[in-house]
Amino acid sequence: YYQPGAGPMMDMGPYYLTALLHLMGPIESIAGATSRGFTQRSVQRPGQQERTIDVDVSTHVAGVVNFHSGAVASIMMSFDVWRAQLPHIEIYGTQGTLSVPDPDRSAGPVKIFTPGDAAFVDIPVDGFAQDSRGIGVADLAYAILNGRQPRAGIDQMYHVLDAMNAFEDSCREGLVYRLRSTAQVPPLLPQNAHEWAQNGD
């Protein structure tokens, strides 16, 4: 977690930035700010004694993400926060607010608030709403069998990796980092596994 190639953005960014890519489209630019809360940390593995390790990465990453669609997102990933009550992802639109569950958990309610509502209302979610961590592997298998591109294709993966690195690059260089990569939003999954298997898509 605390060596080069890791840190909070590399740990959690794939889930959140991929979710934002699916919701908002490809990213145009990022302005990042990073910090390192501690130079050393105490860690302990089960059955081992506590030891001190050096922290060689930023442990708090924040920034502003600009999308080609015109949407703007604020993002924060941190190993320096004990616990928070912030929403995982909320989208503030012209017709209301959409609250999306933690993309790291592959489950949870989707809620919407529109003018005139007294509170957020749950939106029924069909299909892959629970325990869907293996869905990417299944989609890759169907893609190979049916000669199509997988939904989690190489362009999408590279675009998300480019974005994760952009926070640190932007902070280090003191400027807005414009991504050179892009990716298309993949088509939605069918609503149920039976339809998916029958259609091969």
Side-chain angles (χ1 to χ4, degrees), residues 95-96 113-121:
Q95 303 298 314
F113 179 89
T114 56
D117 290 337
F120 277 88
V121 176

Side-chain angles (χ1 to χ4, degrees), residues 18-42:
T18 300
L20 290 173
L21 170 65
H22 282 249
L23 291 164
M24 301 296 182
I27 298 167
E28 180 178 16
S29 64
I30 288 174
T34 66
S35 67
R36 191 177 309 178
F38 304 91
T39 58
Q40 292 187 320
R41 293 218 177 192
S42 295

Side-chain angles (χ1 to χ4, degrees), residues 132-154 157 189 196 200-201:
S132 298
R133 279 189 168 273
I135 199 87
V137 176
D139 182 72
L140 176 60
Y142 277 116
I144 292 169
L145 289 171
N146 292 282
R148 65 163 172 82
Q149 291 297 312
R151 286 174 171 83
I154 190 70
M157 290 183 276
L189 287 167
W196 194 21
D201 192 28

Side-chain angles (χ1 to χ4, degrees), residues 96-111:
T97 298
L98 181 68
S99 182
V100 181
D102 183 357
D104 180 34
R105 299 293 176 209
S106 304
V110 176
K111 297 175 178 287

Side-chain angles (χ1 to χ4, degrees), residues 50-107:
E50 186 175 295
R51 61 191 179 96
T52 300
I53 62 167
D54 292 330
V55 176
D56 294 327
V57 294
S58 298
T59 53
H60 186 89
V61 179
V64 176
V65 181
N66 293 286
F67 295 85
H68 285 283
S69 64
V72 176
S74 300
I75 191 167
M76 180 183 70
M77 303 283 171
S78 185
F79 287 164
D80 296 338
V81 175
W82 284 105
R83 188 175 290 269
Q85 292 185 316
L86 294 171
H88 296 292
I89 297 178
E90 279 191 351
I91 298 171
Y92 310 117
T94 57
Q95 303 298 314
T97 298
L98 181 68
S99 182
V100 181
D102 183 357
D104 180 34
R105 299 293 176 209
S106 304

Side-chain angles (χ1 to χ4, degrees), residues 30-36 58 60-63 164-177:
I30 288 174
T34 66
S35 67
R36 191 177 309 178
S58 298
H60 186 89
V61 179
M164 291 190 297
N165 283 307
F167 290 90
E168 200 75 48
D169 293 339
S170 168
C171 183
R172 182 179 58 253
E173 297 170 15
L175 48 80
V176 174
Y177 182 92

